[in-house]
Amino acid sequence: MLTTNPFDDDHLHEECGIFGVSGADSAAALVALGLHALQHRGQEAAGITAFDGAQFRTHRAMGHVAGNFDSDSVIRALGGSVACGHVRYSTTGETALRNVQPLYADLATGGFAIAHNGNISNAMRLRRELVRRGSIFQSTSDTETIIHLVATSSYRSLLDRFIDALKQVEGAYSLIVMTPEGMIACRDPLGIRPLVMGKLGDAIIFASETVALDVVGAEFVRSVEPGELVIVQGTEMRSIHPFAKAAARPCIFEWVYFSRPDSIVGDHSVYSVRKAIGAQLAIESPVEADLVIPVPDSGVPAAIGYAQESNIPFELGIIRSHYVGRTFIQPGDKVRHLGVKLKHNANRALIAGKRVVLIDDSIVRGTTSVKIVQMMREAGATEVHMRIASPPTKHSCFYGVDTPEREKLLAAKLDLAKMTEYIGADSLGFVSIDGLYKALGERDRTQERPQYCDACFTGDYPTVLTDHDELAEVDQFALLEERVA
């Protein structure tokens, strides 16, 4: 049987990654390279759409970029000087080829391709209204809602139709759109999901993270601003801000886990922020120990920061095999528990007889933490203390991150003492919400107007959640009916 590796299963999964190029020879080849750099943001599927001035061509496939877009014949078949691509981890819609992006449609204004990072929180309501008016959906993705809103808009120009569509959607989005008139890149008015702009010669490039610009040799220009639409025609560019100005609320989890450590997000080095979180964690939650050990790979920068601040030696007490993918074969229940060691194994000679501090980025369900603590015990650790480089994850995300239902989040069910008992650690500590903000250069979290979206920790959602609220009402009504019956 194929099953997801248990160490991958207990993380908040990346939302998606997008990359676009306008005004470059063999644009699709550059997009493929950019998507390689963004593979960590989505590992279920990948797609590229290219335009040569006359025809749109798309190649989409399940699985990683490697193997699907490494072929010269695939890239040559795409052609064109304009292209955009997408790597996907599904947060809405089934895992199927029809949901792989970029999505494409022939509209009255011509071809329309769209790549989306985020989640539209009123997509179900909009979809019902569109279907009632005659729209025929080809996917179960929330992104397709935007296509139908553009197609049915009463405005004349494509740009006005697009703006009209965006004014009807709620939630988080960073988008790259391709039309015969050019490329449009934009972020939602709160800037929840990231998007940056770069240049490679005369070519203009957009990407979810700066690391993708680095990989193709492009120069970072700036972040696309919250609520901004950047319109590109060939190598010419202009910018508009069609939405009412709002205080930005970028997702704070980009610095905690989602982005690659070598990216710059919102003028902050992700690696440096993670080290600063670890240092703050050491100040807030110290412990006497012999070793600081990261949970590979996402816990490494925070563990370095914790070790430097606490003067406890940093060691690689868990060794990760990089030759095991996200899935592996488990032939039966008797060996199922051995699957963890295919990817992570304790450095027994280092750990035996030692008091260890384990540093991880987050706890979601807690299943991974249980396995790691047990692994340390079996390797001979005399004490196992766990420290988490984010506050307790108590709430689901509705902005493009695949989080479990709230009742499956360990921190939503148990207090700190019960969580410590559940994972089997001698102690457990999380960085505070104010400590997380300090690591990002803020004095603390401004209660009246938080500087970031931190809803997964605080439950303070920056937008209305139409679909979620409607489903909650239905659930409450069904529960009431059941009680009455």
Side-chain angles (χ1 to χ4, degrees), residues 428-447:
L428 173 65
F430 295 82
V431 74
S432 68
I433 189 68
D434 282 342
L436 183 56
Y437 274 71
K438 284 178 184 176
L440 278 157
E442 307 287 350
R443 191 177 71 175
D444 54 21
R445 181 183 190 269
T446 304
Q447 301 300 324

Side-chain angles (χ1 to χ4, degrees), residues 40-41 209 253-254 257-261 263 265 270 274:
H40 59 286
R41 297 185 73 88
E209 294 183 35
F253 221 88
E254 289 289 344
Y257 176 67
F258 293 140
S259 296
R260 262 178 52 163
S263 279
V265 178
V270 173
R274 288 178 187 168

Side-chain angles (χ1 to χ4, degrees), residues 225-482:
E225 296 174 6
E228 180 184 20
L229 271 68
V230 181
I231 300 108
V232 182
Q233 293 175 300
T235 58
E236 300 297 317
M237 180 185 71
R238 63 189 176 98
S239 168
I240 60 174
H241 291 78
F243 309 107
K245 191 168 180 60
R249 294 281 299 273
C251 172
I252 204 166
F253 221 88
E254 289 289 344
W255 291 275
V256 173
Y257 176 67
F258 293 140
S259 296
R260 262 178 52 163
D262 44 344
S263 279
I264 307 293
V265 178
D267 299 327
H268 295 293
S269 158
V270 173
Y271 179 80
S272 296
V273 169
R274 288 178 187 168
K275 279 185 64 179
I277 295 171
Q280 185 65 31
L281 185 56
I283 293 168
E284 294 181 357
S285 191
V287 64
E288 290 188 8
D290 303 305
L291 301 175
V292 174
I293 295 174
V295 176
D297 285 321
S298 56
V300 172
I304 294 172
Y306 192 100
Q308 290 176 348
E309 181 65 34
S310 63
N311 290 316
I312 300 172
F314 169 94
E315 296 287 356
L316 296 179
I318 302 172
I319 306 302
R320 177 184 176 184
S321 169
H322 292 270
Y323 303 101
V324 179
R326 290 178 67 88
T327 59
F328 56 90
I329 296 173
Q330 294 183 339
D333 289 338
K334 289 185 178 180
V335 296
R336 191 175 306 279
H337 69 285
L338 298 177
V340 171
K341 294 184 179 179
L342 285 176
K343 196 163 187 178
H344 296 81
N345 191 45
N347 192 346
R348 186 177 297 271
L350 184 73
I351 292 167
K354 299 293 197 309
R355 301 167 297 173
V356 302
V357 184
L358 292 167
I359 309 293
D360 204 354
D361 60 88
S362 60
I363 290 181
V364 183
R365 296 177 181 87
T367 53
T368 293
S369 301
V370 171
K371 293 181 175 71
I372 297 170
V373 171
Q374 182 182 357
M375 182 188 293
M376 294 295 101
R377 302 273 191 214
E378 292 174 352
T382 57
E383 295 178 17
V384 182
H385 304 273
M386 181 156 265
R387 296 294 180 267
I388 307 300
S390 63
T393 304
K394 296 183 177 182
H395 304 271
S396 296
C397 176
F398 300 98
Y399 301 119
V401 181
D402 184 35
T403 49
E405 298 84 358
R406 192 180 180 207
E407 58 268 20
K408 294 181 181 178
L409 296 171
L410 192 68
K413 300 184 295 182
L414 305 178
D415 61 18
L416 185 63
K418 291 291 186 182
M419 290 176 72
T420 307
E421 181 182 352
Y422 176 83
I423 67 173
D426 290 284
S427 72
L428 173 65
F430 295 82
V431 74
S432 68
I433 189 68
D434 282 342
L436 183 56
Y437 274 71
K438 284 178 184 176
L440 278 157
E442 307 287 350
R443 191 177 71 175
D444 54 21
R445 181 183 190 269
T446 304
Q447 301 300 324
E448 299 80 14
R449 186 176 290 178
Q451 304 93 312
Y452 299 94
C453 177
D454 52 24
C456 54
F457 307 130
T458 65
D460 181 6
Y461 295 98
T463 73
V464 293
L465 302 172
T466 298
D467 290 344
H468 172 264
D469 293 342
E470 286 185 359
L471 287 172
E473 286 179 13
V474 171
D475 290 343
Q476 288 293 328
F477 184 72
L479 182 62
L480 181 60
E481 280 192 323
E482 185 179 317

Side-chain angles (χ1 to χ4, degrees), residues 11-77:
H11 278 98
L12 298 181
H13 287 291
E14 304 86 336
E15 332 85 52
C16 285
I18 57 177
F19 191 93
V21 177
S22 179
D25 294 334
S26 191
L30 289 175
V31 172
L33 288 172
L35 293 183
H36 272 288
L38 298 174
Q39 187 72 86
H40 59 286
R41 297 185 73 88
Q43 300 182 41
E44 284 188 352
I48 296 176
T49 297
F51 181 59
D52 62 4
Q55 187 175 356
F56 287 87
R57 296 181 179 89
T58 297
H59 183 79
R60 302 182 297 166
M62 305 303 297
H64 289 188
V65 179
N68 286 315
F69 291 95
D70 291 345
S71 166
D72 287 341
S73 60
V74 170
I75 298 299
R76 281 198 305 269

